[in-house]
Amino acid sequence: MAQRRTSGTNLFMTAPPISRRKRKRGKKPKGHQTVALQLLSLTLPPLIFSCFTVLCVVAMCRAVPINELLERASQHSDKLHSLSTTLTQELDSHFPPIGRVIMPRPAMCHTSSLQTPIDKDQALQVSESDLMSLARSLLQAWSDPLVLLSSSASALPHPAQSTIFNKIQEMQQYSKSLKDGLDVLSSKMGSSAQAITSLPYRGGTSLGQDKITKLINFNFLLSCLRRDSHKIDSFLKVLRCRAAKMQPEMC
């Protein structure tokens, strides 16, 4: 990709503050209130954020600096990747040997067609807007598969089924919160950052009928998510470094 650096002004632009006036009961938040709430979704854990939503609407809510939002976004992406890694290890502990032989290769992941940097050195050569676009495209591509993983985990033939199900639910929360925050951040970085490449999941609504097939397909889908969550995390960490004006070797 051609290198296109976004100006510091656009990257650090903040959202307008929420009005002090309380909104009337029954009315929806105004546009700038909605933006501020989305910004807050990156500064608070998902469960805590939901508790503060109403308070934020009726009270004065200062805009969060973009560099701080990128810091929080990288924390969310790091947690998302950590959860996917932990889940992969959980599954590997009770994965049938035949599964390692017949499980689809990474090239079969539904996001494999997206051209992305293969390492940090390449990522450092990509513009801020393109990195944001790539991160958002990958995140958007996992909306439906995460729903499938959640529904399948509720009856997964695995000793740690309950733990796996709870962690998938947590991943959905972090993914949604991160997506909302990146939508706001991208709006401050120009049209290129707002562009999303469509990567539809065409694997259907079931992971199989028998136990072995379910475990294999669940593990495969999760391995794809682990790979993509690592990419998202890497791209956001590069953006965070640039926002903090850190030297490339420190990223």
Side-chain angles (χ1 to χ4, degrees):
M1 296 181 219
Q3 185 172 2
R4 294 178 297 167
R5 299 189 63 84
T6 306
S7 68
T9 302
N10 288 336
L11 190 60
F12 291 93
M13 189 181 298
T14 57
I18 287 181
S19 170
R20 292 178 182 273
R21 181 166 55 89
K22 294 183 179 180
R23 67 184 180 92
K24 294 181 181 180
R25 182 178 299 177
K27 289 189 176 182
K28 295 181 179 179
K30 293 182 179 180
H32 61 272
Q33 293 173 335
T34 302
V35 169
L37 287 177
Q38 289 175 319
L39 293 176
L40 266 190
S41 71
L42 280 178
T43 68
L44 297 172
L47 294 178
I48 298 177
F49 169 69
S50 62
C51 298
F52 281 91
T53 301
V54 176
L55 293 177
C56 187
V57 171
V58 299
M60 181 63 180
C61 203
R62 292 186 177 181
V64 182
I66 297 299
N67 59 336
E68 183 176 338
L69 287 176
L70 285 168
E71 173 66 33
R72 301 296 184 177
S74 68
Q75 291 176 8
H76 271 59
S77 62
D78 184 79
K79 180 63 176 180
L80 194 62
H81 180 55
S82 176
L83 284 168
S84 66
T85 300
T86 301
L87 279 171
T88 301
Q89 293 169 348
E90 291 262 13
L91 285 168
D92 283 347
S93 64
H94 290 84
F95 197 56
I98 187 63
R100 306 183 191 283
V101 178
I102 65 177
M103 191 170 80
R105 302 297 97 189
M108 298 298 291
C109 294
H110 70 287
T111 57
S112 61
S113 62
L114 185 67
Q115 299 298 309
T116 59
I118 61 174
D119 54 31
K120 186 182 75 171
D121 288 338
Q122 283 193 10
L124 288 169
Q125 302 304 314
V126 180
S127 70
E128 285 92 341
S129 58
D130 284 341
L131 284 176
M132 179 61 72
S133 175
L134 289 171
R136 294 179 68 233
S137 296
L138 289 172
L139 201 58
Q140 178 66 37
W142 280 99
S143 295
D144 291 339
L146 268 172
V147 173
L148 177 59
L149 284 172
S150 178
S151 62
S152 300
S154 62
L156 191 69
H158 192 282
Q161 177 273 324
S162 179
T163 299
I164 292 172
F165 176 75
N166 290 335
K167 287 180 179 177
I168 291 291
Q169 294 287 304
E170 191 176 358
M171 288 178 67
Q172 284 185 288
Q173 293 174 340
Y174 273 98
S175 179
K176 175 62 168 61
S177 178
L178 183 59
K179 178 182 178 300
D180 289 345
L182 295 189
D183 285 348
V184 176
L185 281 167
S186 66
S187 70
K188 310 301 178 185
M189 298 172 64
S191 58
S192 295
Q194 293 179 283
I196 290 183
T197 301
S198 178
L199 301 164
Y201 176 71
R202 306 187 189 281
T205 58
S206 173
L207 293 180
Q209 301 301 317
D210 61 277
K211 292 182 179 180
I212 299 298
T213 301
K214 284 182 179 179
L215 280 174
I216 291 174
N217 290 333
F218 193 96
N219 201 331
F220 169 66
L221 198 55
L222 192 59
S223 68
C224 293
L225 176 56
R226 180 187 180 186
R227 184 187 70 166
D228 288 344
S229 65
H230 176 65
K231 290 181 180 181
I232 294 169
D233 188 44
S234 298
F235 300 159
L236 292 180
K237 280 180 168 56
V238 170
L239 288 173
R240 180 194 63 184
C241 286
R242 288 180 178 175
K245 302 186 184 303
M246 297 172 63
Q247 294 297 317
E249 59 270 16
M250 299 298 292
C251 295

